[in-house]
Amino acid sequence: MSAYERLKIDISKPRYDQGTYWGRAQHFSILTNPLNLLASSQQLEDSKQIVNSYRNGAELPGLTPDQLWRAKQLYDSAYHDNGTESKKMFFFGRMSAMVPCNMVITGCMMTFYKTTPAVVFWQWINQSFNALVNYTNRSGPNPISPATLGWSYCGATTGAITTALFLNKVVAPRFPPLVGRFVPFAAVAAANAINLPMMRSSELTNGIPVLTADGEEVGKSSKAAQSAISQVVVSRIGMAAPGMFIPPIIMAKLEKGPFLTKYPKMNAPLQVLMVGTCLVFATPLCCALFPQMSSIKTSSLEPELRDELSARPHPPERVYFNKGL
């Protein structure tokens, strides 16, 4: 008897119910867990072997459901799988590297925000890391081309630096010092609003596949692409918000106290620690804001596709699409 026949677990789907917010949050908390980075090469290879053997109908005696899911979670955290082959992802481009990398970058952005060279350097580092994550996770039926990634990287970097410098020079001096601490967040938000639409510009032009509730593809829709990209932009900005709003307020108080007055070099480590604490929770919770398979009303689609669906004997009220990450 094969392991699949014995366990009856479909590992092509997430372990937790993606129709509920809590189920999605549990799924992304596992996917973005920084502890996945501590798995050795042998552990990753073992997880790959278990997943492939299970898919191929091997017996795998003694394998428990928890062991199978743990292997699948490690496998998903480190490998691209396009259905025909799997390739190990670059270490710093994995989803599980987002929290540790972003906590350092964001903490430094908010510590060194007053001088032009520091603003330019850390905004560039931030967008370079985002480009690395986008490139590492580019696999799929319509992978993003290097040229598109390059243009989106340049656009996001320029937008982030321009926004930060403008706010630092023109807006922040007119308000209390605390306002200046929020400039990095405004720059990050502007970069996300530029980066994602540019990176997925082909989807806005050509549309993305839309499906019925039964999984039947019924066409491509630019309206669905607009909704998908908007949802991802909101999620990305939401991930950054707690770590870029809460620490500045706390640091504004701490910097007036005796500890940071005596040990000013502890400013950056404290900011990094607070940002990391926020990101551990904000990353999975904001990834889960919208279902991976989101939906749109048929009446909101392009006229041609809407009319085509309306002519069916049982026209669907909604169609579904993969929003991406």
Side-chain angles (χ1 to χ4, degrees):
M1 178 184 292
S2 71
Y4 176 77
E5 292 173 319
R6 178 167 57 86
L7 298 177
K8 303 292 184 183
I9 295 174
D10 183 2
I11 60 172
S12 66
K13 299 177 181 178
R15 183 175 190 175
Y16 301 102
D17 182 9
Q18 298 301 284
T20 67
Y21 175 75
W22 180 239
R24 295 193 298 273
Q26 287 178 291
H27 171 68
F28 282 110
S29 68
I30 292 169
L31 190 63
T32 61
N33 187 350
L35 295 179
N36 291 332
L37 297 173
L38 301 179
S40 66
S41 296
Q42 186 58 53
Q43 286 175 305
L44 294 178
E45 191 61 36
D46 290 345
S47 71
K48 179 181 177 181
Q49 181 66 34
I50 291 172
V51 168
N52 288 336
S53 297
Y54 185 84
R55 287 172 172 170
N56 293 330
E59 292 185 10
L60 300 175
L63 182 71
T64 66
D66 283 342
Q67 289 172 336
L68 174 62
W69 280 118
R70 177 55 182 159
K72 183 61 164 54
Q73 288 155 8
L74 274 181
Y75 176 81
D76 287 343
S77 75
Y79 291 93
H80 274 312
D81 189 338
N82 61 12
T84 57
E85 64 175 349
S86 57
K87 185 180 295 185
K88 188 179 287 187
M89 290 184 275
F90 182 66
F91 185 84
F92 290 106
R94 299 175 190 173
M95 292 288 287
S96 46
M98 288 183 68
V99 169
C101 291
N102 273 326
M103 65 184 281
V104 173
I105 295 170
T106 304
C108 289
M109 275 197 298
M110 295 194 304
T111 303
F112 310 109
Y113 66 93
K114 294 182 179 179
T115 66
T116 297
V119 168
V120 171
F121 177 76
W122 284 109
Q123 291 295 338
W124 169 67
I125 289 291
N126 185 46
Q127 293 310 317
S128 297
F129 174 68
N130 288 341
L132 173 63
V133 172
N134 290 335
Y135 182 78
T136 303
N137 294 278
R138 70 195 183 284
S139 67
N142 297 300
I144 302 166
S145 69
T148 301
L149 280 169
W151 280 112
S152 63
Y153 167 64
C154 292
T157 304
T158 302
I161 291 173
T162 302
T163 301
L165 293 179
F166 173 78
L167 292 176
N168 267 346
K169 298 294 184 184
V170 179
V171 179
R174 302 180 182 180
F175 294 90
L178 180 61
V179 174
R181 294 178 179 271
F182 298 128
V183 167
F185 174 71
V188 167
N192 275 312
I194 295 169
N195 184 22
L196 284 162
M198 288 185 68
M199 185 175 65
R200 298 173 63 174
S201 58
S202 63
E203 296 179 12
L204 294 171
T205 303
N206 304 319
I208 57 175
V210 291
L211 304 89
T212 64
D214 298 325
E216 176 194 356
E217 184 175 331
V218 293
K220 290 188 174 183
S221 169
S222 296
K223 297 286 188 181
Q226 293 172 16
S227 178
I229 293 170
S230 298
Q231 290 177 14
V232 176
V233 169
V234 169
S235 294
R236 293 278 187 97
I237 295 175
M239 286 180 214
M244 300 188 86
F245 267 100
I246 298 172
I249 296 172
I250 297 175
M251 291 303 297
K253 299 289 185 181
L254 290 179
E255 286 178 356
K256 299 175 183 177
F259 180 75
L260 285 180
T261 302
K262 186 175 182 180
Y263 304 104
K265 291 185 179 179
M266 290 300 295
N267 191 311
L270 280 175
Q271 296 237 45
V272 169
L273 181 62
M274 284 189 284
V275 170
T277 302
C278 293
L279 285 173
V280 164
F281 298 99
T283 300
L285 293 178
C286 289
C287 280
L289 284 176
F290 305 98
Q292 193 62 39
M293 292 301 295
S294 293
S295 66
I296 185 173
K297 289 183 178 180
T298 304
S299 59
S300 299
L301 296 172
E302 294 82 349
E304 301 82 3
L305 183 55
R306 182 180 64 226
D307 293 344
E308 180 182 332
L309 291 173
S310 298
R312 291 188 166 205
H314 303 286
E317 292 185 4
R318 305 188 74 89
V319 290
Y320 298 82
F321 56 90
N322 189 329
K323 71 176 178 64
L325 289 173

